[in-house]
């Protein structure tokens, strides 16, 4: 790393890639890269000093990044194998690493607190980072969401020995990490385009647990389908909302707040208040507080961290909140995440109609979980279903959102992304609007919000 003067990212606009870009900029390195489209995140990176272009063409690579002796190439596994720029760097003998490899190198000399799981890992790791940042422990953090408290997915400290890492299971990326402690929120099958079977998916998590260092600990969701493979000297704890070594008691929901008592293996921390008061965050909060508590966070630091946590953008994110009209955005893209998100909204607003807009993410995931998606989306009062966002995949012949749409039982509309704003504009009975998906639906959030605000101002 000491010999590196410049870092070039292929897929720089990805949420995980961008925190590494910010890290290298903070170290005084020149940072540039390619991504397929300009987004709010790439605009922010450019403003912070990076050099980004949006066409995968070798002629777009700045001269600064063509010296293989001083340039590190970092790429996301989502980059296609036939990428002209990626192949240029391969053919010319550059030092090329996956994002996860680089993250593993950066964090190996610190006490890495790694949050993994099919869903919940962004919110849990973000909560943990926020608790530690406001405590005497402090932390560095590489996160998979933009924290609203800091408007960033990167936290840096020159004094803390702790680094919070969102551990991504896609492409077995989390096997490059060196956890001191780890949290696993869930192991519901996903990424079957990579793993093939649920059994292989579970084996990948078991391998991850074997990487936890002696003297550390694993905190795992109570009663999930996982057989940890822990080294000697690694402690094992369980957690959930109501069972396990870490859990909640005396949960009180009402008047826009959620409070509970946090039970640890040898104490009770009274009166925890959630800064983002949705029921799913009780369990997320228990997991994050468990890791913070195991590393010495005090009761008051836990209370303050949870109360002041504003959430991550696109994680149950209130875009608009009035008595007559509410807009919530969530990154949910797995059927179980959708069920949890929709159920949380309906609990918050039991007397209001909930309209959901969902953009499926990946052809393979849509194919593998079509029935499950349909059951989850049928919890809505009404659904607007968009085309599949392909991300890294090429189309699968004959596979469209229709295979979900046909099985949904609530009131429903199927449309293209380009048609969505007109549909929202003409819909007069919106009370609660929930936008969900991991694709580029985020590009429509501000226009949708503006349409709803116009309605309020009439």
């Amino acid at each position: 790393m000491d010999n590196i003067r410049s870092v070039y990212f292929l897929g720089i606009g990805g949420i995980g890639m961008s925190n590494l870009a910010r890290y290298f900029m903070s170290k005084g390195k020149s940072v540039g890269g390619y991504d397929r489209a300009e987004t709010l995140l790439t605009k922010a990176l450019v403003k912070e000093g990076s050099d980004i272009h949006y066409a995968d063409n070798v002629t777009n690579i700045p001269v600064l990044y063509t010296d293989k002796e001083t340039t590190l190439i970092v790429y996301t596994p989502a980059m296609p194998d036939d990428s002209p720029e990626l192949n240029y760097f391969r053919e010319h003998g550059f030092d090329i690493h996956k994002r996860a490899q680089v993250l593993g190198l950066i964090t190996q000399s610190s006490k890495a607190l790694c949050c993994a799981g099919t869903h919940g890992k962004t919110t849990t790791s973000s909560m943990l980072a926020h608790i530690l940042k406001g405590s005497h422990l402090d932390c560095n953090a590489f996160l998979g969401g933009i924290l609203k408290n800091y408007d960033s997915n990167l936290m840096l400290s020159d004094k803390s020995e702790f680094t919070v890492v969102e551990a991504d299971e896609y492409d077995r990326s989390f096997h490059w990490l060196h956890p001191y402690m780890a949290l696993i929120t869930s192991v519901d099958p996903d990424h079957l385009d990579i793993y093939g079977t649920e059994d292989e998916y579970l084996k990948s998590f078991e391998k991850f647990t074997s990487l936890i260092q002696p003297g550390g600990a694993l905190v795992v969701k109570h009663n999930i389908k996982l057989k940890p493979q822990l080294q000697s000297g690694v402690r094992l704890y369980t957690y959930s909302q109501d069972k396990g070594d870490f859990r909640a008691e005396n949960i009180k929901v009402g008047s826009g707040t959620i409070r509970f008592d946090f039970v640890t293996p040898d104490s009770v921390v009274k009166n925890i208040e959630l800064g983002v008061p949705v029921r799913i965050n009780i369990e997320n909060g228990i997991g994050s507080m468990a890791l913070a508590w195991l590393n010495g966070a005090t009761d008051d630091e836990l209370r303050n961290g949870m109360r002041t946590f504003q959430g991550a953008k696109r994680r149950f994110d209130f875009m608009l909140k009035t008595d007559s009209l509410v807009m919530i955005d969530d990154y949910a893209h797995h059927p179980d995440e959708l069920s949890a998100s929709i159920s949380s909204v309906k609990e918050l607003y039991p007397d209001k109609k909930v309209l959901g807009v969902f953009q499926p993410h990946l052809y393979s995931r849509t194919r593998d979980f079509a029935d499950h998606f349909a059951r989850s989306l049928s919890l809505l009062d009404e659904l607007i279903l968009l085309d599949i966002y392909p991300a890294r995949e090429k189309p699968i012949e004959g596979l469209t959102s229709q295979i979900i749409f046909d099985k949904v039982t609530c009131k429903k509309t199927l449309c293209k992304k380009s048609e969505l704003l007109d549909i929202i504009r003409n819909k007069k009975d919106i009370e609660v609007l929930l936008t969900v998906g991991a694709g580029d639906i985020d590009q429509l959030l501000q226009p949708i919000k503006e349409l709803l605000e116009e309605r309020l101002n009439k």
Side-chain angles (χ1 to χ4, degrees):
M1 290 293 186
D2 293 340
N3 297 327
I4 297 299
R5 293 205 296 268
S6 56
V7 188
Y8 191 83
F9 289 85
L10 293 165
I12 192 169
I15 195 70
M17 294 283 275
S18 59
N19 57 37
L20 279 184
R22 285 172 161 152
Y23 170 81
F24 282 113
M25 282 191 281
S26 78
K27 299 300 180 185
K29 312 294 185 185
S30 297
V31 168
Y34 153 79
D35 211 289
R36 61 190 290 175
E38 186 178 51
T39 63
L40 291 174
L41 189 46
T42 60
K43 287 179 181 177
L45 291 174
V46 169
K47 196 172 181 180
E48 292 164 26
S50 58
D51 184 352
I52 301 175
H53 61 268
Y54 304 99
D56 189 357
N57 191 313
V58 172
T59 61
N60 289 330
I61 302 171
V63 174
L64 176 64
Y65 303 99
T66 57
D67 181 354
K68 67 181 180 183
E69 302 302 323
T70 61
T71 301
L72 172 67
I73 309 301
V74 185
Y75 74 101
T76 168
M79 282 296 292
D81 266 345
D82 59 358
S83 159
E85 292 189 33
L86 179 56
N87 283 307
Y88 166 83
F89 291 120
R90 283 171 172 163
E91 290 163 6
H92 287 81
F94 278 76
D95 190 15
I96 305 174
H97 287 286
K98 288 183 180 180
R99 170 195 171 266
Q101 291 174 276
V102 178
L103 186 57
L105 287 171
I106 291 171
T107 59
Q108 67 182 351
S109 59
S110 66
K111 287 186 173 179
L113 308 178
C114 301
C115 299
T118 314
H119 30 257
K121 55 183 174 287
T122 297
T123 299
T124 305
S125 57
S126 298
M127 283 178 167
L128 172 60
H130 179 64
I131 293 168
L132 295 181
K133 200 68 184 169
S135 77
H136 70 286
L137 300 167
D138 201 356
C139 72
N140 302 275
F142 294 84
L143 303 170
I146 305 296
L147 267 69
K148 297 170 83 170
N149 294 77
Y150 310 93
D151 197 29
S152 184
N153 52 357
L154 174 71
M155 296 180 188
L156 294 175
S157 169
D158 57 6
K159 63 179 182 178
S160 179
E161 62 180 340
F162 296 103
T163 300
V164 177
V165 179
E166 179 173 333
D168 186 6
E169 78 275 14
Y170 173 69
D171 197 36
R172 299 175 173 85
S173 291
F174 57 177
H175 293 172
W176 292 101
L177 300 175
H178 308 275
Y180 168 61
M181 290 190 184
L183 174 84
I184 297 179
T185 63
S186 50
V187 289
D188 301 314
D190 197 7
H191 303 300
L192 298 185
D193 55 322
I194 298 294
Y195 290 101
T197 66
E198 178 181 1
D199 189 51
E200 287 301 310
Y201 188 73
L202 291 172
K203 285 179 182 176
S204 187
F205 276 91
E206 290 167 3
K207 166 73 173 175
F208 172 68
T209 67
S210 75
L211 303 176
I212 301 171
Q213 301 166 29
L218 170 65
V219 180
V220 65
K221 173 80 176 292
H222 175 76
N223 212 26
I224 62 172
K225 194 188 296 184
L226 183 72
K227 297 177 181 176
Q229 308 294 319
L230 301 179
Q231 297 185 56
S232 177
V234 176
R235 292 163 286 161
L236 176 64
Y237 300 93
T238 60
Y239 83 100
S240 73
Q241 179 173 303
D242 55 2
K243 290 185 174 67
D245 302 303
F246 297 94
R247 60 190 186 277
E249 288 182 348
N250 301 321
I251 298 170
K252 297 180 176 65
V253 182
S255 304
T257 64
I258 295 179
R259 290 184 173 88
F260 59 91
D261 297 335
F262 173 53
V263 179
T264 80
D266 61 15
S267 65
V268 178
V269 184
K270 298 280 190 180
N271 200 29
I272 299 293
E273 180 182 349
L274 292 179
V276 182
V278 292
R279 185 171 287 275
I280 194 172
N281 278 345
I282 298 175
E283 200 157 82
N284 290 333
I286 292 165
S288 62
M289 286 190 291
L291 281 188
W293 182 85
L294 286 169
N295 285 288
T298 68
D299 292 3
D300 284 342
E301 288 169 345
L302 295 175
R303 287 192 197 95
N304 183 63
M306 295 304 296
R307 179 179 54 80
T308 59
F309 179 70
Q310 295 174 15
K313 291 181 181 179
R314 301 226 60 221
R315 267 62 179 192
F316 216 91
D317 189 358
F318 281 88
M319 305 285 295
L320 189 65
K321 191 175 184 181
T322 71
D323 290 340
S324 60
L325 201 52
V326 175
M327 177 182 173
I328 302 169
D329 178 50
D330 196 36
Y331 193 70
H333 56 283
H334 183 281
D336 291 328
E337 293 172 341
L338 284 172
S339 294
S341 185
I342 295 166
S343 297
S344 293
V345 174
K346 297 202 58 115
E347 182 179 34
L348 279 177
Y349 299 101
D351 301 322
K352 292 185 182 291
K353 174 185 173 183
V354 179
L355 167 65
V357 179
F358 177 56
Q359 181 188 44
H361 184 261
L362 297 178
Y363 292 100
S364 59
R365 184 184 282 124
T366 303
R367 176 198 63 205
D368 294 338
F369 300 108
D371 290 350
H372 199 166
F373 274 123
R375 287 195 298 274
S376 299
L377 293 167
S378 295
L379 297 172
L380 291 162
D381 296 304
E382 183 176 355
L383 167 69
I384 300 174
L385 183 64
L386 303 182
D387 287 341
I388 298 169
Y389 180 76
R392 58 188 176 266
E393 292 185 336
K394 292 188 170 19
I396 297 174
E397 186 176 351
L399 184 67
T400 70
S401 296
Q402 191 80 39
I403 69 166
I404 296 174
F405 184 79
D406 289 344
K407 297 172 182 177
V408 170
T409 57
C410 67
K411 184 179 178 182
K412 57 192 178 181
T413 302
L414 184 65
C415 75
K416 298 183 183 301
K417 195 179 77 167
S418 59
E419 301 167 337
L420 179 62
L421 291 180
D422 283 338
I423 290 175
I424 297 293
R425 184 180 290 109
N426 295 321
K427 211 164 243 315
K428 305 303 182 188
D429 60 344
I430 297 175
E431 296 180 313
V432 179
L433 177 64
L434 172 66
T435 55
V436 274
D440 60 358
I441 191 174
D442 61 323
Q443 295 177 18
L444 292 176
L445 298 180
Q446 191 59 33
I448 293 172
K449 181 183 176 184
E450 289 170 3
L451 283 177
L452 297 180
E453 286 174 333
E454 284 176 18
R455 188 172 305 183
L456 286 171
N457 293 329
K458 284 182 179 179

